[in-house]
């Protein structure tokens, strides 16, 4: 497999689902329904004649059919209503003809299912009733009862049924990003209270991240077993950390999550924003594929990763509202740079903004599907370190 020797996990652990004894015989990777899809093949490091594309936050407020289906249902209630979650998961696949569905859920769902008071406030994001900032608060965190995951298992099974040959991607929030919400109590720009806890009370920090890793890992595993064909770990805010802090205080916990699904044998994607300096460390947490943000040209990411790790990305969401000609040129540049990777799945560098015109998203999918795979015209195998160091990295 096209990951580096440093990456934990054996070839056997990454074998196609068909060879995994863990997945049920009806799983789409085992029956062959999704194992030959361009998405799964690109994740496994194959160049495909047509580049697969899906978009983070493709389900959601940019779609009128999403707003109609949600109605007055609260966000987290919608996630926990299997018929509704499955319908919303499939909407962008029907409309845009993307190559994957991303399970409609949220990174705080496993926290809610464990019994922690959390809600998603429209226009704000996750808000926690009682922020977790002490050893006592961490010790009091409830363990997730596996039975509580039933609505997730059911929603994934329904989504997979509706999606047919189109693979479903399952996901979870990584320990740092989820913990930053638990500690701050609400979205934060600088994560100051979170970082203070990390440095001043490393034992409390480790206990908190170990809890998140167990809880979120169980959520991710449930999705893989119920029929997802790939799993993505979102560490959206990890980019605010130095490499040293990431390695010492975060990577082991993200590695624990990825290890919880290693035996499923399906591609594991790891993504965060502003993470150029962390790409190698995040890959080495046990990821098979690296998601790349909009700030890092894909060919540079491929070179930093040593040339063998498949990549996902990285159309700049900031260009979605601009002139088509500029977006068209940018997408072709992304495809050209992505052609230096062993496998390339096209995506945005971060999520679809809620104000995006959905017709632009459909047009992006059509463009990506119309461009044949390109032979690399950029040096494909630059050794790591041959490029200038990323901003702020030592
Ligand atoms: O297509 C998809 O990607 C749908 C599934 C999805 C959602 N959240 C649905 C959602 C996924 C993959 C997520 C992940 C998520 N949630 C992340 C990681 C990805 C990222 O964007 O960095 C994070 C940090 C969260 C936490 C969260 N949930 C935020 C910051 C918000 C936005 C708050 C707002 O109103 O702007 C949410 C809410 C949320 N999650 C919405 C959706 C569709 C919007 C809720 C609504 O429609 O009212």
């Amino acid at each position: 497999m096209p990951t580096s020797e440093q990456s934990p996990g054996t070839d056997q652990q990454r074998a196609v689902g068909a060879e995994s004894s863990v997945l049920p015989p009806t799983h789409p990777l085992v029956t062959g329904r999704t194992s030959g899809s361009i998405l799964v093949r690109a994740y496994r490091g194959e160049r495909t004649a047509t580049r697969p594309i899906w978009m983070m936050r493709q389900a959601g407020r940019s779609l009128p059919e999403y707003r109609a289906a949600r109605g007055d249902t609260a966000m987290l209630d919608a996630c926990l209503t299997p018929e509704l979650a499955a319908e919303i998961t499939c909407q962008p696949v029907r409309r845009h003809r993307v190559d994957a569905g991303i399970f409609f859920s949220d990174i705080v769902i496993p926290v809610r299912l464990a019994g922690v008071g959390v809600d998603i406030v429209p226009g704000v994001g996750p808000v926690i009733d009682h922020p977790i900032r002490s050893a006592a608060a961490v010790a009091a965190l409830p363990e997730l009862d596996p039975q509580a995951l039933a609505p997730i298992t059911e929603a994934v099974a329904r989504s997979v049924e509706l999606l047919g040959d189109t693979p479903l991607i399952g996901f979870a929030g990584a320990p740092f990003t989820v913990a930053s919400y638990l500690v701050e109590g609400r979205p934060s720009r600088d994560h100051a209270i979170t970082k203070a806890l990390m440095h001043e009370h490393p034992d409390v920090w480790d206990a908190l991240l170990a809890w998140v890793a167990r809880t979120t890992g169980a959520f991710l595993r449930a999705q893989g077993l119920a029929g997802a064909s790939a799993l993505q770990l979102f560490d959206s805010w990890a980019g605010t950390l130095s490499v040293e802090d990431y390695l010492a205080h975060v990577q082991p916990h993200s590695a624990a999550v990825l290890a919880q699904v290693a035996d499923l044998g399906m591609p594991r994607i790891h993504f965060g924003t502003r993470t150029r300096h962390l790409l190698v460390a995040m890959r080495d947490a046990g990821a098979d594929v690296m998601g790349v943000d909009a700030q890092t040209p894909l060919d540079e990411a491929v070179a930093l990763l040593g040339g063998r790790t498949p990549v996902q990305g990285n159309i700049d969401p900031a260009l979605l509202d601009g002139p088509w000609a500029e977006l068209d040129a940018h997408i072709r540049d992304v495809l050209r740079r992505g052609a230096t990777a062993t496998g390339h799945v096209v995506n945005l560098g971060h999520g679809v903004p809620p104000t995006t015109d959905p017709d632009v998203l459909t047009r992006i999918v059509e463009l990506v599907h119309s461009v044949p795979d390109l032979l690399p015209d950029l040096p494909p195998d630059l050794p790591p370190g041959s490029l200038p160091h990323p901003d702020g990295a030592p």
Side-chain angles (χ1 to χ4, degrees):
M1 284 301 298
T3 32
S4 90
E5 295 78 14
Q6 302 116 305
S7 181
T10 62
D11 279 343
Q12 200 186 353
Q13 284 171 322
R14 294 197 203 94
V16 226
E19 290 153 37
S20 162
S21 56
V22 183
L23 297 179
T26 51
H27 193 284
L29 284 176
V30 179
T31 61
R33 222 159 148 183
T34 58
S35 44
S37 64
I38 54 174
L39 181 93
V40 170
R41 285 171 46 216
Y43 278 152
R44 294 206 188 276
E46 265 184 61
R47 296 283 285 276
T48 51
T50 304
R51 226 80 65 87
I53 175 170
W54 67 277
M55 291 172 276
M56 293 185 276
R57 292 284 178 92
Q58 63 190 20
R61 282 173 296 180
S62 68
L63 300 184
E65 59 268 37
Y66 167 78
R67 298 193 294 268
R70 266 276 307 277
D72 295 332
T73 312
M75 169 65 192
L76 296 183
D77 292 340
C79 296
L80 296 172
T81 308
E83 304 80 1
L84 185 55
E87 163 59 22
I88 294 173
T89 298
C90 295
Q91 286 177 344
V93 180
R94 286 189 206 115
R95 179 190 269 261
H96 304 307
R97 308 226 161 266
V98 279
D99 297 293
I102 171 97
F103 180 51
F104 181 75
S105 195
D106 196 84
I107 60 168
V108 297
I109 281 286
V111 172
R112 154 80 71 102
L113 291 177
V116 174
V118 55
D119 209 348
I120 290 190
V121 176
V124 177
V127 175
I128 310 291
D129 292 350
H130 304 289
I132 312 293
R133 297 177 184 171
S134 64
V138 173
L141 283 167
E143 285 304 312
L144 173 66
D145 175 357
Q147 306 270 335
L149 290 166
I152 302 306
T153 302
E154 189 184 335
V156 167
R158 283 174 182 264
S159 303
V160 168
E161 188 66 36
L162 291 171
L163 286 169
D165 296 344
T166 304
L168 177 75
I169 299 169
F171 76 93
F176 175 75
T177 291
V178 175
S180 78
Y181 287 107
L182 292 175
V183 174
E184 304 285 338
R186 53 195 300 116
S188 149
R189 211 169 263 276
D190 55 10
H191 312 284
I193 313 175
T194 310
K195 289 179 184 174
L197 182 70
M198 175 194 289
H199 289 127
E200 288 163 22
H201 303 285
D203 294 353
V204 177
W205 175 258
D206 277 330
L208 172 61
L209 265 74
W211 179 86
V212 177
R214 281 197 299 283
T215 308
T216 235
F219 171 66
L220 194 60
R221 188 173 178 84
Q223 295 169 64
L225 287 171
S229 294
L231 298 170
Q232 177 155 324
L233 192 60
F234 281 94
D235 211 350
S236 304
W237 314 137
T240 64
L241 295 165
S242 67
V243 179
E244 290 76 13
D245 277 349
Y246 182 80
L247 290 173
H249 301 292
V250 173
Q251 193 203 42
H253 301 289
S254 297
V257 177
L258 292 166
Q260 275 183 76
V261 293
D263 62 329
L264 303 187
M266 61 186 66
R268 293 164 296 172
I269 309 113
H270 204 175
F271 167 79
T273 59
R274 305 205 173 256
T275 47
R276 183 202 298 234
H277 62 299
L278 296 180
L279 281 177
V280 170
M282 288 175 70
R283 189 269 315 279
D284 292 347
D288 305 298
V289 178
M290 281 309 300
V292 180
D293 61 27
Q295 286 70 39
T296 314
L298 281 182
D299 50 317
E300 284 189 36
V302 168
L304 283 166
L305 290 162
R308 290 182 301 277
T309 304
V311 293
Q312 174 173 280
N314 70 346
I315 298 168
D316 189 347
L319 298 181
L320 296 178
D321 291 340
W324 173 258
E326 202 181 316
L327 185 55
D328 179 289
H330 170 63
I331 292 167
R332 289 175 197 277
D333 185 56
V334 166
L335 291 171
R336 192 174 60 88
R337 293 176 188 274
T340 63
T342 51
H344 176 208
V345 172
V346 181
N347 205 313
L348 306 183
H350 199 178
V352 174
T355 51
T356 303
D357 173 359
D359 290 344
V360 172
L361 303 179
T362 307
R363 204 168 167 188
I364 291 173
V365 176
E366 285 168 1
L367 172 62
V368 168
H369 284 163
S370 75
V371 176
D373 196 11
L374 307 160
L375 288 172
D377 58 355
L378 293 158
D381 265 324
L382 290 179
S386 62
L387 289 162
H389 272 297
D391 307 345

